[in-house]
Amino acid sequence: MPQPSLIAIDGPVASGKTTVGQCLASKLSYNFLDTGDLYRAVTKLVIDAKVSNNNEVAIAELCNELTLVLSDNQTTRIIAFHQDISEHLHTEIIDSNVSFIARLPKIRSALLDKQRDMAKSGKLIMAGRDIGTVILPHADLKLYIEASAKERARRRWIQYGKHEGLYKTLLTEIERRDHLDSTRPIAPLKPADDSIIIKTDDMSLKATVEYIYHMYCFQE
Ligand code: DC
């Protein structure tokens, strides 16, 4: 089996697909793009410019302001209005608005070519919700990383410092976003027919990376 050049990794929120994708990309010396960050970047611009979530045309125009640039460590930086906004995309307000923005058809189509352009030179791992189904249907390897909502909430809870009462909030939020992502009419979250489904409830992310690398990417 030749080493896959374009690798699509999809999966629900907090499934670990970004961490797995980043680690795999660094092992393979491939570029990495987390497409969730693109939707987050648009959401940030919408919030900053105080554009209404319902003004789809204005939001689609904001998408034109986004540029993707590869950094030295092969991860993708997102530039808007001459500023690198990549480190400002994981805030509570973006978390709670992004699934709504990501449902808008004009936004999905405005971001399509930006994602496909990144894949033109190969040796890329792209993570998201619709990479195997819509963005890169011809990817050489398609992975769908999943874990139960309870396990994903547990991982986030540990990551956020195990605060009392937080687990339930995280679980509710994960279930809400799963629902929004998987029930939207355009490019809903689902595995492609030819995806390899990897269930990680009983596997650490490190073990998941090793498993994928040796099973599907490694060549003597
Ligand atoms: O993976 P994430 O939590 O950073 O994704 C943020 C949002 O963007 C989430 O609601 C799903 C959406 N998204 C999407 O619709 N399609 C993608 N390819 C990636 C993310």
Side-chain angles (χ1 to χ4, degrees), residues 71-128:
S71 74
D72 293 344
N73 69 356
Q74 294 170 309
T75 54
T76 311
R77 311 298 299 183
I78 302 185
I79 313 295
F81 300 109
H82 309 291
Q83 279 191 333
D84 184 340
I85 58 169
S86 318
E87 302 301 323
H88 306 281
L89 304 176
H90 289 264
T91 62
E92 250 175 64
I93 185 161
I94 293 178
D95 279 355
S96 54
N97 283 280
V98 63
S99 291
F100 183 83
I101 302 287
R103 286 171 78 93
L104 303 172
K106 284 190 171 49
I107 286 28
R108 301 204 73 84
S109 88
L111 296 179
L112 193 101
D113 285 343
K114 288 187 196 295
Q115 296 169 80
R116 287 194 180 151
D117 284 351
M118 286 289 295
K120 279 186 179 150
S121 48
K123 294 201 168 189
L124 173 77
I125 298 181
M126 200 182 281

Short mmCIF file of all heavy atoms in Angstrom, two decimals, residues 71-128:
data_model
loop_
_atom_site.label_atom_id
_atom_site.label_comp_id
_atom_site.label_asym_id
_atom_site.label_seq_id
_atom_site.Cartn_x
_atom_site.Cartn_y
_atom_site.Cartn_z
N SER A 71 2.88 27.61 8.33
CA SER A 71 3.95 28.10 9.20
C SER A 71 5.15 27.17 9.09
O SER A 71 5.09 26.13 8.45
CB SER A 71 3.46 28.17 10.64
OG SER A 71 3.38 26.86 11.15
N ASP A 72 6.24 27.53 9.78
CA ASP A 72 7.46 26.72 9.71
C ASP A 72 7.24 25.30 10.20
O ASP A 72 7.85 24.37 9.71
CB ASP A 72 8.56 27.35 10.59
CG ASP A 72 8.98 28.68 10.01
OD1 ASP A 72 8.65 28.92 8.84
OD2 ASP A 72 9.62 29.47 10.73
N ASN A 73 6.35 25.15 11.20
CA ASN A 73 6.15 23.79 11.70
C ASN A 73 5.00 23.07 10.98
O ASN A 73 4.42 22.13 11.50
CB ASN A 73 5.95 23.78 13.22
CG ASN A 73 4.63 24.42 13.63
OD1 ASN A 73 3.91 24.94 12.77
ND2 ASN A 73 4.30 24.36 14.89
N GLN A 74 4.69 23.52 9.80
CA GLN A 74 3.75 22.87 8.89
C GLN A 74 2.29 22.89 9.34
O GLN A 74 1.47 22.16 8.82
CB GLN A 74 4.20 21.42 8.61
CG GLN A 74 5.51 21.41 7.85
CD GLN A 74 6.12 20.04 7.76
OE1 GLN A 74 6.27 19.36 8.77
NE2 GLN A 74 6.47 19.64 6.57
N THR A 75 1.99 23.72 10.35
CA THR A 75 0.58 23.92 10.66
C THR A 75 0.10 25.16 9.92
O THR A 75 0.92 25.98 9.49
CB THR A 75 0.33 24.09 12.17
OG1 THR A 75 1.16 25.13 12.63
CG2 THR A 75 0.64 22.82 12.95
N THR A 76 -1.21 25.29 9.80
CA THR A 76 -1.74 26.39 8.99
C THR A 76 -2.14 27.55 9.88
O THR A 76 -2.83 27.35 10.88
CB THR A 76 -2.98 25.89 8.21
OG1 THR A 76 -2.62 24.66 7.58
CG2 THR A 76 -3.40 26.89 7.17
N ARG A 77 -1.70 28.73 9.54
CA ARG A 77 -2.09 29.94 10.27
C ARG A 77 -3.20 30.63 9.50
O ARG A 77 -3.25 30.58 8.27
CB ARG A 77 -0.92 30.93 10.40
CG ARG A 77 0.38 30.34 10.88
CD ARG A 77 0.30 29.76 12.25
NE ARG A 77 -0.05 30.73 13.29
CZ ARG A 77 -0.11 30.43 14.60
NH1 ARG A 77 0.11 29.19 15.02
NH2 ARG A 77 -0.41 31.35 15.48
N ILE A 78 -4.09 31.29 10.23
CA ILE A 78 -5.19 32.00 9.57
C ILE A 78 -4.98 33.50 9.74
O ILE A 78 -4.84 34.00 10.87
CB ILE A 78 -6.54 31.57 10.15
CG1 ILE A 78 -6.69 30.05 9.96
CG2 ILE A 78 -7.69 32.32 9.47
CD1 ILE A 78 -8.03 29.49 10.37
N ILE A 79 -4.93 34.17 8.61
CA ILE A 79 -4.67 35.61 8.61
C ILE A 79 -5.96 36.34 8.19
O ILE A 79 -6.63 35.94 7.23
CB ILE A 79 -3.56 35.98 7.59
CG1 ILE A 79 -2.34 35.04 7.72
CG2 ILE A 79 -3.15 37.45 7.69
CD1 ILE A 79 -1.59 35.12 9.02
N ALA A 80 -6.29 37.40 8.92
CA ALA A 80 -7.42 38.25 8.53
C ALA A 80 -7.03 39.69 8.79
O ALA A 80 -6.49 40.01 9.86
CB ALA A 80 -8.67 37.91 9.35
N PHE A 81 -7.28 40.54 7.81
CA PHE A 81 -6.93 41.96 7.93
C PHE A 81 -5.48 42.12 8.42
O PHE A 81 -5.21 42.84 9.38
CB PHE A 81 -7.91 42.68 8.87
CG PHE A 81 -9.34 42.62 8.40
CD1 PHE A 81 -10.27 41.84 9.07
CD2 PHE A 81 -9.75 43.31 7.26
CE1 PHE A 81 -11.59 41.77 8.62
CE2 PHE A 81 -11.05 43.23 6.81
CZ PHE A 81 -11.98 42.46 7.49
N HIS A 82 -4.58 41.37 7.79
CA HIS A 82 -3.13 41.44 8.03
C HIS A 82 -2.71 40.97 9.42
O HIS A 82 -1.61 41.22 9.86
CB HIS A 82 -2.58 42.87 7.81
CG HIS A 82 -2.98 43.42 6.49
ND1 HIS A 82 -2.50 42.94 5.30
CD2 HIS A 82 -3.87 44.40 6.16
CE1 HIS A 82 -3.05 43.59 4.30
NE2 HIS A 82 -3.90 44.48 4.79
N GLN A 83 -3.62 40.31 10.12
CA GLN A 83 -3.24 39.82 11.46
C GLN A 83 -3.41 38.32 11.54
O GLN A 83 -4.38 37.77 10.99
CB GLN A 83 -4.13 40.47 12.52
CG GLN A 83 -3.66 41.86 12.86
CD GLN A 83 -4.36 42.39 14.09
OE1 GLN A 83 -5.49 41.99 14.37
NE2 GLN A 83 -3.72 43.30 14.77
N ASP A 84 -2.48 37.67 12.25
CA ASP A 84 -2.60 36.24 12.47
C ASP A 84 -3.57 36.04 13.64
O ASP A 84 -3.25 36.37 14.79
CB ASP A 84 -1.22 35.67 12.81
CG ASP A 84 -1.26 34.16 12.97
OD1 ASP A 84 -2.35 33.59 13.19
OD2 ASP A 84 -0.18 33.54 12.88
N ILE A 85 -4.75 35.50 13.34
CA ILE A 85 -5.77 35.37 14.40
C ILE A 85 -5.86 33.94 14.95
O ILE A 85 -6.76 33.62 15.73
CB ILE A 85 -7.17 35.84 13.91
CG1 ILE A 85 -7.62 35.05 12.67
CG2 ILE A 85 -7.17 37.34 13.62
CD1 ILE A 85 -9.09 35.28 12.32
N SER A 86 -4.92 33.09 14.53
CA SER A 86 -5.00 31.66 14.87
C SER A 86 -5.10 31.37 16.37
O SER A 86 -5.70 30.37 16.76
CB SER A 86 -3.78 30.92 14.33
OG SER A 86 -3.46 31.36 13.04
N GLU A 87 -4.49 32.22 17.18
CA GLU A 87 -4.49 31.94 18.63
C GLU A 87 -5.72 32.52 19.34
O GLU A 87 -5.81 32.46 20.55
CB GLU A 87 -3.22 32.53 19.29
CG GLU A 87 -1.91 32.02 18.72
CD GLU A 87 -1.78 30.50 18.84
OE1 GLU A 87 -2.22 29.95 19.85
OE2 GLU A 87 -1.24 29.89 17.89
N HIS A 88 -6.64 33.08 18.58
CA HIS A 88 -7.79 33.76 19.22
C HIS A 88 -9.11 33.11 18.83
O HIS A 88 -10.15 33.77 18.81
CB HIS A 88 -7.80 35.24 18.82
CG HIS A 88 -6.50 35.92 19.10
ND1 HIS A 88 -6.15 36.34 20.35
CD2 HIS A 88 -5.45 36.20 18.29
CE1 HIS A 88 -4.93 36.87 20.30
NE2 HIS A 88 -4.50 36.79 19.06
N LEU A 89 -9.06 31.82 18.52
CA LEU A 89 -10.26 31.19 17.95
C LEU A 89 -10.98 30.27 18.92
O LEU A 89 -12.04 29.73 18.59
CB LEU A 89 -9.86 30.41 16.68
CG LEU A 89 -9.16 31.27 15.62
CD1 LEU A 89 -8.71 30.41 14.45
CD2 LEU A 89 -10.07 32.38 15.14
N HIS A 90 -10.39 30.06 20.10
CA HIS A 90 -11.04 29.14 21.04
C HIS A 90 -11.52 29.91 22.27
O HIS A 90 -10.95 29.81 23.34
CB HIS A 90 -10.09 27.99 21.40
CG HIS A 90 -9.91 27.05 20.26
ND1 HIS A 90 -10.64 25.88 20.12
CD2 HIS A 90 -9.14 27.14 19.16
CE1 HIS A 90 -10.30 25.29 18.98
NE2 HIS A 90 -9.39 26.03 18.38
N THR A 91 -12.57 30.70 22.06
CA THR A 91 -13.15 31.45 23.17
C THR A 91 -14.59 30.96 23.34
O THR A 91 -15.15 30.34 22.43
CB THR A 91 -13.18 32.96 22.87
OG1 THR A 91 -14.02 33.16 21.72
CG2 THR A 91 -11.79 33.51 22.56
N GLU A 92 -15.15 31.25 24.52
CA GLU A 92 -16.52 30.78 24.79
C GLU A 92 -17.52 31.32 23.79
O GLU A 92 -18.41 30.60 23.33
CB GLU A 92 -16.92 31.24 26.19
CG GLU A 92 -17.02 30.09 27.16
CD GLU A 92 -17.31 30.58 28.55
OE1 GLU A 92 -18.40 31.15 28.75
OE2 GLU A 92 -16.45 30.41 29.42
N ILE A 93 -17.36 32.59 23.45
CA ILE A 93 -18.36 33.21 22.56
C ILE A 93 -18.26 32.61 21.14
O ILE A 93 -19.27 32.38 20.48
CB ILE A 93 -18.27 34.76 22.57
CG1 ILE A 93 -19.40 35.33 21.74
CG2 ILE A 93 -16.94 35.29 22.11
CD1 ILE A 93 -19.71 36.76 22.01
N ILE A 94 -17.05 32.30 20.72
CA ILE A 94 -16.91 31.65 19.41
C ILE A 94 -17.48 30.23 19.50
O ILE A 94 -18.25 29.80 18.63
CB ILE A 94 -15.43 31.64 18.94
CG1 ILE A 94 -14.98 33.08 18.65
CG2 ILE A 94 -15.25 30.78 17.69
CD1 ILE A 94 -13.54 33.25 18.23
N ASP A 95 -17.14 29.50 20.58
CA ASP A 95 -17.69 28.14 20.78
C ASP A 95 -19.20 28.12 20.64
O ASP A 95 -19.76 27.24 20.01
CB ASP A 95 -17.36 27.63 22.19
CG ASP A 95 -15.95 27.09 22.30
OD1 ASP A 95 -15.26 27.02 21.27
OD2 ASP A 95 -15.54 26.75 23.43
N SER A 96 -19.85 29.11 21.22
CA SER A 96 -21.31 29.01 21.24
C SER A 96 -21.96 29.51 19.95
O SER A 96 -23.13 29.22 19.71
CB SER A 96 -21.92 29.67 22.48
OG SER A 96 -21.47 30.97 22.56
N ASN A 97 -21.22 30.20 19.09
CA ASN A 97 -21.82 30.69 17.83
C ASN A 97 -21.39 29.91 16.59
O ASN A 97 -22.06 29.97 15.56
CB ASN A 97 -21.44 32.16 17.61
CG ASN A 97 -22.28 33.07 18.49
OD1 ASN A 97 -23.41 33.38 18.16
ND2 ASN A 97 -21.74 33.47 19.62
N VAL A 98 -20.26 29.21 16.69
CA VAL A 98 -19.67 28.67 15.46
C VAL A 98 -20.54 27.63 14.75
O VAL A 98 -20.61 27.61 13.52
CB VAL A 98 -18.23 28.15 15.73
CG1 VAL A 98 -18.20 27.00 16.70
CG2 VAL A 98 -17.54 27.77 14.44
N SER A 99 -21.23 26.79 15.51
CA SER A 99 -22.04 25.74 14.85
C SER A 99 -23.14 26.38 14.01
O SER A 99 -23.53 25.85 12.97
CB SER A 99 -22.67 24.80 15.86
OG SER A 99 -21.68 24.03 16.46
N PHE A 100 -23.64 27.52 14.47
CA PHE A 100 -24.69 28.21 13.70
C PHE A 100 -24.11 28.75 12.39
O PHE A 100 -24.68 28.55 11.31
CB PHE A 100 -25.31 29.33 14.54
CG PHE A 100 -26.43 30.01 13.81
CD1 PHE A 100 -27.70 29.47 13.80
CD2 PHE A 100 -26.19 31.16 13.07
CE1 PHE A 100 -28.73 30.06 13.08
CE2 PHE A 100 -27.21 31.77 12.35
CZ PHE A 100 -28.48 31.22 12.35
N ILE A 101 -22.97 29.40 12.49
CA ILE A 101 -22.32 29.97 11.28
C ILE A 101 -21.97 28.84 10.30
O ILE A 101 -22.13 28.98 9.08
CB ILE A 101 -21.04 30.75 11.67
CG1 ILE A 101 -21.35 31.88 12.66
CG2 ILE A 101 -20.29 31.26 10.44
CD1 ILE A 101 -22.06 33.08 12.11
N ALA A 102 -21.51 27.71 10.86
CA ALA A 102 -21.08 26.59 9.99
C ALA A 102 -22.24 25.93 9.26
O ALA A 102 -22.03 25.15 8.34
CB ALA A 102 -20.32 25.55 10.83
N ARG A 103 -23.46 26.22 9.67
CA ARG A 103 -24.64 25.65 8.98
C ARG A 103 -25.00 26.45 7.73
O ARG A 103 -25.78 25.98 6.90
CB ARG A 103 -25.87 25.68 9.91
CG ARG A 103 -25.84 24.65 11.00
CD ARG A 103 -26.97 24.90 11.98
NE ARG A 103 -28.27 24.44 11.49
CZ ARG A 103 -28.79 23.25 11.73
NH1 ARG A 103 -28.11 22.39 12.46
NH2 ARG A 103 -29.97 22.92 11.28
N LEU A 104 -24.48 27.67 7.58
CA LEU A 104 -24.94 28.55 6.50
C LEU A 104 -24.34 28.12 5.15
O LEU A 104 -23.10 28.07 5.00
CB LEU A 104 -24.55 30.01 6.79
CG LEU A 104 -25.09 30.58 8.11
CD1 LEU A 104 -24.50 31.96 8.40
CD2 LEU A 104 -26.61 30.66 8.09
N PRO A 105 -25.17 27.82 4.16
CA PRO A 105 -24.68 27.30 2.88
C PRO A 105 -23.68 28.23 2.18
O PRO A 105 -22.66 27.77 1.65
CB PRO A 105 -25.95 27.16 2.02
CG PRO A 105 -27.08 27.13 2.99
CD PRO A 105 -26.64 27.85 4.22
N LYS A 106 -23.92 29.55 2.21
CA LYS A 106 -23.01 30.48 1.51
C LYS A 106 -21.62 30.48 2.16
O LYS A 106 -20.61 30.70 1.50
CB LYS A 106 -23.59 31.90 1.52
CG LYS A 106 -24.73 32.11 0.54
CD LYS A 106 -25.06 33.60 0.45
CE LYS A 106 -26.04 33.95 -0.65
NZ LYS A 106 -27.24 33.14 -0.73
N ILE A 107 -21.60 30.26 3.45
CA ILE A 107 -20.32 30.26 4.16
C ILE A 107 -19.56 28.98 3.80
O ILE A 107 -18.36 29.01 3.49
CB ILE A 107 -20.53 30.35 5.71
CG1 ILE A 107 -20.95 31.74 6.16
CG2 ILE A 107 -19.25 30.02 6.46
CD1 ILE A 107 -21.68 32.63 5.34
N ARG A 108 -20.27 27.87 3.78
CA ARG A 108 -19.60 26.60 3.43
C ARG A 108 -19.04 26.68 2.02
O ARG A 108 -17.93 26.25 1.75
CB ARG A 108 -20.56 25.41 3.58
CG ARG A 108 -21.11 25.24 4.98
CD ARG A 108 -21.54 23.82 5.26
NE ARG A 108 -20.40 22.95 5.43
CZ ARG A 108 -19.73 22.79 6.57
NH1 ARG A 108 -20.08 23.42 7.65
NH2 ARG A 108 -18.70 21.98 6.62
N SER A 109 -19.82 27.29 1.11
CA SER A 109 -19.30 27.32 -0.26
C SER A 109 -18.17 28.35 -0.39
O SER A 109 -17.21 28.13 -1.13
CB SER A 109 -20.43 27.49 -1.28
OG SER A 109 -20.71 28.80 -1.49
N ALA A 110 -18.21 29.44 0.38
CA ALA A 110 -17.11 30.42 0.32
C ALA A 110 -15.80 29.83 0.85
O ALA A 110 -14.72 30.26 0.44
CB ALA A 110 -17.48 31.67 1.13
N LEU A 111 -15.89 28.85 1.73
CA LEU A 111 -14.66 28.29 2.31
C LEU A 111 -14.15 27.04 1.58
O LEU A 111 -13.06 26.54 1.86
CB LEU A 111 -14.89 27.95 3.80
CG LEU A 111 -15.19 29.16 4.70
CD1 LEU A 111 -15.43 28.70 6.13
CD2 LEU A 111 -14.05 30.17 4.66
N LEU A 112 -14.96 26.56 0.65
CA LEU A 112 -14.62 25.30 -0.03
C LEU A 112 -13.28 25.36 -0.78
O LEU A 112 -12.39 24.53 -0.58
CB LEU A 112 -15.75 24.97 -1.00
CG LEU A 112 -15.72 23.57 -1.56
CD1 LEU A 112 -16.72 22.68 -0.82
CD2 LEU A 112 -16.07 23.55 -3.02
N ASP A 113 -13.12 26.38 -1.64
CA ASP A 113 -11.89 26.44 -2.44
C ASP A 113 -10.65 26.70 -1.60
O ASP A 113 -9.57 26.22 -1.92
CB ASP A 113 -12.01 27.53 -3.52
CG ASP A 113 -12.92 27.07 -4.65
OD1 ASP A 113 -13.17 25.85 -4.73
OD2 ASP A 113 -13.39 27.92 -5.42
N LYS A 114 -10.82 27.45 -0.53
CA LYS A 114 -9.66 27.71 0.35
C LYS A 114 -9.12 26.38 0.88
O LYS A 114 -7.92 26.15 0.97
CB LYS A 114 -10.04 28.60 1.53
CG LYS A 114 -10.29 30.05 1.15
CD LYS A 114 -10.50 30.91 2.39
CE LYS A 114 -11.13 32.24 2.05
NZ LYS A 114 -10.29 33.11 1.22
N GLN A 115 -10.07 25.49 1.24
CA GLN A 115 -9.65 24.20 1.78
C GLN A 115 -9.04 23.33 0.67
O GLN A 115 -7.99 22.72 0.84
CB GLN A 115 -10.85 23.49 2.42
CG GLN A 115 -11.38 24.26 3.63
CD GLN A 115 -12.72 23.72 4.11
OE1 GLN A 115 -12.77 22.72 4.82
NE2 GLN A 115 -13.81 24.37 3.73
N ARG A 116 -9.70 23.31 -0.49
CA ARG A 116 -9.18 22.46 -1.59
C ARG A 116 -7.83 22.96 -2.10
O ARG A 116 -6.97 22.16 -2.46
CB ARG A 116 -10.20 22.41 -2.73
CG ARG A 116 -11.39 21.55 -2.34
CD ARG A 116 -12.24 21.20 -3.53
NE ARG A 116 -13.35 20.37 -3.09
CZ ARG A 116 -14.52 20.34 -3.68
NH1 ARG A 116 -14.76 21.07 -4.76
NH2 ARG A 116 -15.48 19.54 -3.23
N ASP A 117 -7.64 24.29 -2.12
CA ASP A 117 -6.35 24.83 -2.58
C ASP A 117 -5.20 24.30 -1.72
O ASP A 117 -4.11 24.02 -2.21
CB ASP A 117 -6.34 26.37 -2.51
CG ASP A 117 -7.14 26.96 -3.66
OD1 ASP A 117 -7.52 26.19 -4.57
OD2 ASP A 117 -7.40 28.17 -3.63
N MET A 118 -5.45 24.20 -0.42
CA MET A 118 -4.40 23.72 0.49
C MET A 118 -3.97 22.30 0.14
O MET A 118 -2.85 21.88 0.44
CB MET A 118 -4.92 23.71 1.94
CG MET A 118 -5.05 25.04 2.58
SD MET A 118 -3.46 25.77 2.95
CE MET A 118 -2.81 24.66 4.17
N ALA A 119 -4.89 21.55 -0.45
CA ALA A 119 -4.63 20.13 -0.69
C ALA A 119 -3.91 19.88 -2.01
O ALA A 119 -3.49 18.76 -2.29
CB ALA A 119 -5.95 19.36 -0.67
N LYS A 120 -3.74 20.95 -2.81
CA LYS A 120 -3.24 20.75 -4.17
C LYS A 120 -1.86 20.10 -4.23
O LYS A 120 -1.58 19.33 -5.13
CB LYS A 120 -3.23 22.09 -4.93
CG LYS A 120 -4.62 22.42 -5.45
CD LYS A 120 -4.62 23.64 -6.32
CE LYS A 120 -6.04 23.90 -6.82
NZ LYS A 120 -6.30 25.31 -7.05
N SER A 121 -1.01 20.45 -3.27
CA SER A 121 0.34 19.89 -3.37
C SER A 121 0.51 18.59 -2.58
O SER A 121 1.62 18.05 -2.50
CB SER A 121 1.37 20.93 -2.93
OG SER A 121 0.95 21.48 -1.73
N GLY A 122 -0.58 18.05 -2.02
CA GLY A 122 -0.51 16.75 -1.33
C GLY A 122 0.22 16.85 0.00
O GLY A 122 0.45 17.94 0.53
N LYS A 123 0.56 15.68 0.55
CA LYS A 123 1.24 15.60 1.85
C LYS A 123 0.56 16.49 2.89
O LYS A 123 1.19 17.36 3.51
CB LYS A 123 2.72 15.96 1.72
CG LYS A 123 3.46 14.93 0.89
CD LYS A 123 4.93 14.95 1.14
CE LYS A 123 5.55 13.72 0.51
NZ LYS A 123 6.91 13.48 0.83
N LEU A 124 -0.71 16.27 3.01
CA LEU A 124 -1.52 17.12 3.89
C LEU A 124 -2.50 16.26 4.68
O LEU A 124 -3.09 15.32 4.14
CB LEU A 124 -2.31 18.11 3.04
CG LEU A 124 -3.34 18.95 3.80
CD1 LEU A 124 -2.66 20.09 4.57
CD2 LEU A 124 -4.38 19.54 2.85
N ILE A 125 -2.67 16.63 5.93
CA ILE A 125 -3.72 16.04 6.75
C ILE A 125 -4.72 17.15 7.03
O ILE A 125 -4.34 18.23 7.50
CB ILE A 125 -3.18 15.47 8.06
CG1 ILE A 125 -2.18 14.35 7.74
CG2 ILE A 125 -4.32 14.95 8.94
CD1 ILE A 125 -1.59 13.67 8.95
N MET A 126 -5.98 16.91 6.71
CA MET A 126 -7.01 17.92 6.93
C MET A 126 -8.07 17.34 7.87
O MET A 126 -8.57 16.24 7.62
CB MET A 126 -7.63 18.30 5.59
CG MET A 126 -8.33 19.63 5.61
SD MET A 126 -9.12 20.04 4.05
CE MET A 126 -7.77 20.59 3.06
N ALA A 127 -8.36 18.08 8.94
CA ALA A 127 -9.32 17.59 9.92
C ALA A 127 -10.59 18.43 9.89
O ALA A 127 -10.52 19.64 9.65
CB ALA A 127 -8.71 17.63 11.32
N GLY A 128 -11.74 17.81 10.10
CA GLY A 128 -12.99 18.57 10.11
C GLY A 128 -14.21 17.68 10.30
O GLY A 128 -14.17 16.71 11.07
#
